[in-house]
Amino acid sequence: MASLSEQIPNRHVQRWVHDCAEKCSPASVRVLDGSPDEKQQLLAEAVANKVLIPLNRQKWPGCYLHRSHPQDVARTEHCTFICTPEKREAGPTNNWLDDRHAYAMLEAHFQGCMKGKTMFVVPFIMGPAGSPLAKVGIQLTDSIYVAISMGIMTRMGRQTWDQLGSTDDFTRCLHSVGDCDPKRRYICHFPHDNTIWSYGSNYGGNALLGKKCLALRIASFLGRKQGWMAEHMLLVGATNPQGETTYVTGAFPSACGKTNFAMMVPPADYRKAGWKISTVGDDIVWMYVNQRDGRLWAINPEAGYFGVVPGTSEKTNPNAMTAIRHDTIFTNVALLPDGDVWWEGKGDPPKECLDWRGEKWTPGCGRPAAHPNSRFTVSMWNNPILDPKADDPVGVPVSGIIFGGRRSDTIPLCVQSFNWSHGVYLGATLSSETTAAATGQVGVVRRDPMAMRPFCGYNMGDYFRHWLDMRKRLVDPPRIFLVNWFRKNEKGQYLWPGFGENLRVLEWMIGRCRGRASARETALGWSPTANDLNLGGLDLDAETWQRLQAVNAKEMQQELASQQELYDQLGDDMPRELVWQRELTAAAI
Ligand code: GTP
Ligand code: SPV
Ligand code: MN
């Protein structure tokens, strides 16, 4: 075995790994190279250690089930901290810790925490290799599940060393599962030091540190300083029958439809006409001003999807079903006796299976078989509709930005903002019912500005200012839209069919971006009439359409009052433009 310094060509990384190993005292240190052989070894080791269960080879080749600790099944926002010298930097929407205090407290947790274990050194790139936008991270972890998952979710391995060169420009990501006690769980971000320390969780956004921690919290902080944006957004291309491709991004809060929108299958008549959808990303984008054309361009910094499993089926998301057919890790789904898997929304339930905890489950037993936040981890290269530019170092131009929450009432199906700062207002006041993607109550309406409430690495007021300022750097800014796929009738049924049918709304939005679709002015923005949207072939009566698009004065008054709570919370940090935009809306209702 080559020595550590031979395996790690960068001396800054060498020194840091050495220091962390001294702190955590692992039995061994293993530097990953990202090769296919190595992946097979890691999988075999994880199976031997019962971290992964191999699935039926015929039905699910190369697929595995992982069961997490029952108290470690979602992001834990109350354990997530922005650690800076000043509280104001984190702002009132983040949990804050004094950075020095946080380091001192966590030192005690990390001290000796990897005794008897292997410390994996996971070098990875966020963004296409060779891209000037890409960022390097090195994650140290005692979790083989995390090491394998990082290999799927990022460009992991040797090529990282070329990207990094001899610089010390990398995010230091230190992770230990510890004893996985939720009372001793900390996901701490030190944006001034380009450092993340995560202790006590093995789950998704808490533990795969390239994702929410680096690519959103740390990156949003850097983006503000350097004039670019890191956003919780999907990125999708839509090609019309004339062969013209338009890219849009969509910020929907966790478990509110990004993966589904990014992988949608057009309705039958659209397919026949020649419409095509292609995925660039399903969760995170980095956007920058391209000096060539003065437009906003975007890349997906990730290389895989960590997607919500329940509700995924041949009917709702056939492209995801194709993608996860092979070489996928399922976390917290149900297991059948023959090594098949099942989840709610997949189709008819099995007569009997083991639930996500590994306990016997029968239909009607009163518990879900798969955890509501069960996930698949799959390479983007498995996606049958991956966009040809998904690995392009300069990314794609963004024509439209969509904000969308999960609201049973109040918010119409779709509107377009009057201009950029009105669009920033629509995004800043985005609200959504909470989901199983984070621990805590589900179904409670909360403000989730730009779907970034849990992911913004600094003061939300400064973040809004940054959004407003971006306009000044752009020659031709993207058009901004607000959507809601989740409005319901009094029986609790969705008014809009959603999924692939969302292309009807997207077609209108693309038409607006390209200046060829019409709309009428409402208090909330430019709104399509039933004639502006192609509703042909949909079983949607005039009354349902009217209810989908209705702006109800009483509901809007409540909405504006609830917005005021966010404004009060941010106080003087709230940009004046957004105060005025709210006043204008109130006056128009
Ligand atoms: P994160 O990975 O947590 O960031 O979630 P996401 O935004 O990618 O959400 P995803 O696409 O995984 O969808 C979450 C849930 O919403 C799933 O159960 C979907 O079936 C459901 N869903 C997605 N799109 C629609 C839609 O257009 N209409 C309805 N009714 N449900 C949808
Ligand atoms: C989300 O919660 O928005 C996710 C899943 O995409 S996690 O990676 O856990 O953050
Ligand atoms: Mn997400």
Side-chain angles (χ1 to χ4, degrees):
M1 184 54 105
S3 72
L4 264 191
S5 49
E6 280 166 325
Q7 293 180 76
I8 302 176
N10 179 294
R11 64 188 175 86
H12 304 285
V13 179
Q14 276 171 23
R15 194 172 315 133
W16 175 68
V17 171
H18 177 266
D19 290 350
C20 291
E22 242 176 27
K23 192 192 339 265
C24 303
S25 317
S28 60
V29 178
R30 178 163 178 191
V31 184
L32 299 190
D33 63 22
S35 66
D37 277 357
E38 177 188 82
K39 185 177 180 188
Q40 290 314 313
Q41 286 166 25
L42 292 173
L43 287 167
E45 207 174 304
V47 169
N49 297 342
K50 304 207 165 13
V51 172
L52 295 179
I53 301 171
L55 297 184
N56 185 306
R57 272 172 205 269
Q58 271 74 47
K59 290 186 177 163
W60 302 96
C63 296
Y64 298 82
L65 167 66
H66 172 73
R67 292 196 185 116
S68 46
H69 187 290
Q71 302 240 53
D72 192 25
V73 293
R75 282 182 297 100
T76 41
E77 293 176 3
H78 62 285
C79 310
T80 304
F81 297 89
I82 303 299
C83 308
T84 50
E86 301 284 336
K87 185 167 194 270
R88 198 215 152 263
E89 290 180 88
T93 57
N94 277 310
N95 300 311
W96 172 79
L97 282 174
D98 172 87
D99 53 352
R100 264 154 226 295
H101 168 73
Y103 277 131
M105 176 185 58
L106 281 173
E107 280 282 346
H109 287 70
F110 278 104
Q111 202 63 243
C113 70
M114 297 185 189
K115 270 193 190 124
K117 295 177 159 183
T118 298
M119 181 166 98
F120 296 96
V121 180
V122 186
F124 62 95
I125 309 175
M126 299 310 292
S131 169
L133 302 164
K135 302 248 165 289
V136 165
I138 313 286
Q139 178 158 352
L140 307 183
T141 179
D142 54 9
S143 163
I144 193 166
Y145 166 74
V146 165
I148 293 169
S149 300
M150 287 294 288
I152 299 174
M153 294 301 296
T154 71
R155 284 132 177 124
M156 190 275 281
R158 256 190 237 288
Q159 69 275 30
T160 308
W161 305 121
D162 300 327
Q163 184 82 24
L164 182 59
S166 59
T167 72
D168 70 348
D169 189 11
F170 65 97
T171 307
R172 290 152 173 80
C173 306
L174 176 60
H175 171 249
S176 173
V177 185
D179 48 12
C180 212
D181 178 351
K183 289 198 281 303
R184 280 159 37 94
R185 182 173 295 159
Y186 293 92
I187 299 100
C188 287
H189 306 72
F190 303 88
H192 291 292
D193 308 334
N194 201 3
T195 294
I196 302 156
W197 283 13
S198 167
Y199 184 87
S201 170
N202 202 28
Y203 195 84
N206 291 338
L208 311 176
L209 301 187
K211 195 173 177 59
K212 298 300 170 41
C213 300
L214 191 166
L216 286 179
R217 298 195 190 94
I218 297 285
S220 63
F221 176 92
L222 287 175
R224 173 174 177 245
K225 276 206 307 206
Q226 300 167 353
W228 55 281
M229 309 168 92
E231 300 295 334
H232 189 206
M233 290 175 173
L234 67 94
L235 178 51
V236 72
T239 306
N240 68 12
Q242 290 71 47
E244 174 191 72
T245 303
T246 307
Y247 291 97
V248 303
T249 66
F252 312 156
S254 300
C256 291
K258 288 182 302 300
T259 303
N260 278 273
F261 195 82
M263 298 180 86
M264 79 168 107
V265 173
D269 46 336
Y270 277 76
R271 275 204 308 278
K272 237 177 273 153
W275 278 86
K276 288 204 166 57
I277 294 293
S278 51
T279 318
V280 184
D282 82 323
D283 198 49
I284 298 176
V285 302
W286 290 351
M287 302 194 284
Y288 69 103
V289 182
N290 190 325
Q291 294 308 332
R292 271 196 357 233
D293 59 4
R295 294 181 65 193
L296 202 55
W297 285 58
I299 62 160
N300 168 19
E302 300 190 278
Y305 312 139
F306 184 62
V308 175
V309 172
T312 307
S313 70
E314 289 298 342
K315 223 173 113 198
T316 57
N317 193 348
N319 287 321
M321 290 303 285
T322 303
I324 64 182
R325 271 288 153 208
H326 65 99
D327 301 295
T328 298
I329 296 178
F330 292 92
T331 300
N332 296 336
V333 298
L335 181 65
L336 273 62
D338 66 345
D340 197 353
V341 278
W342 191 79
W343 52 82
E344 278 69 21
K346 179 166 181 268
D348 294 336
K351 279 200 202 66
E352 188 184 314
C353 64
L354 296 178
D355 72 3
W356 63 275
R357 285 190 178 88
E359 284 161 20
K360 192 178 143 180
W361 183 94
T362 49
C365 72
R367 295 174 279 126
H371 189 277
N373 191 37
S374 52
R375 299 262 167 176
F376 54 76
T377 308
V378 68
S379 165
M380 71 173 184
W381 299 104
N382 277 24
N383 179 357
I385 59 158
L386 186 68
D387 189 272
K389 297 222 166 83
D391 200 34
D392 190 316
V394 299
V396 297
V398 177
S399 298
I401 294 174
I402 311 169
F403 294 115
R406 180 185 286 268
R407 290 294 304 269
S408 308
D409 48 44
T410 313
I411 306 298
L413 178 67
C414 58
V415 293
Q416 182 191 357
S417 74
F418 295 121
N419 53 44
W420 181 266
S421 65
H422 181 244
V424 175
Y425 162 72
L426 293 180
T429 54
L430 187 67
S431 59
S432 198
E433 289 151 23
T434 50
T435 64
T439 55
Q441 238 183 317
V442 169
V444 190
V445 175
R446 71 166 181 181
R447 295 293 122 195
D448 193 345
M450 280 85 175
M452 281 287 277
R453 183 182 195 107
F455 309 119
C456 183
Y458 60 100
N459 188 302
M460 193 60 83
D462 293 339
Y463 172 73
F464 294 159
R465 175 90 268 146
H466 180 46
W467 262 88
L468 292 163
D469 286 345
M470 283 303 289
R471 171 68 185 92
K472 298 168 194 154
R473 300 187 171 98
L474 293 165
V475 175
D476 180 18
R479 308 301 186 264
I480 300 181
F481 303 87
L482 177 68
V483 303
N484 176 22
W485 315 133
F486 300 95
R487 204 167 192 178
K488 288 179 177 169
N489 63 17
E490 52 290 322
K491 286 191 210 130
Q493 295 155 327
Y494 292 119
L495 292 167
W496 179 249
F499 301 101
E501 307 294 344
N502 292 335
L503 179 53
R504 298 173 190 279
V505 179
L506 179 56
E507 182 188 19
W508 174 77
M509 294 190 275
I510 291 169
R512 294 295 296 174
C513 296
R514 294 187 177 269
R516 59 187 180 217
S518 50
R520 82 195 153 89
E521 189 179 327
T522 70
L524 288 194
W526 294 105
S527 168
T529 66
N531 294 327
D532 298 321
L533 221 66
N534 174 11
L535 299 173
L538 259 195
D539 182 21
L540 195 90
D541 56 35
E543 195 207 324
T544 308
W545 171 254
Q546 194 274 327
R547 291 173 67 171
L548 271 167
Q549 281 297 72
V551 178
N552 176 302
K554 215 160 147 202
E555 286 180 341
M556 273 315 295
Q557 301 298 355
Q558 265 177 25
E559 186 67 13
L560 288 160
S562 158
Q563 291 177 5
Q564 188 59 42
E565 288 168 25
L566 174 72
Y567 280 58
D568 288 344
Q569 203 185 10
L570 289 173
D572 288 343
D573 294 332
M574 194 65 167
R576 302 306 300 166
E577 289 95 313
L578 298 186
V579 175
W580 297 326
Q581 288 292 351
R582 187 180 163 283
E583 299 276 325
L584 284 171
T585 307
I589 294 293

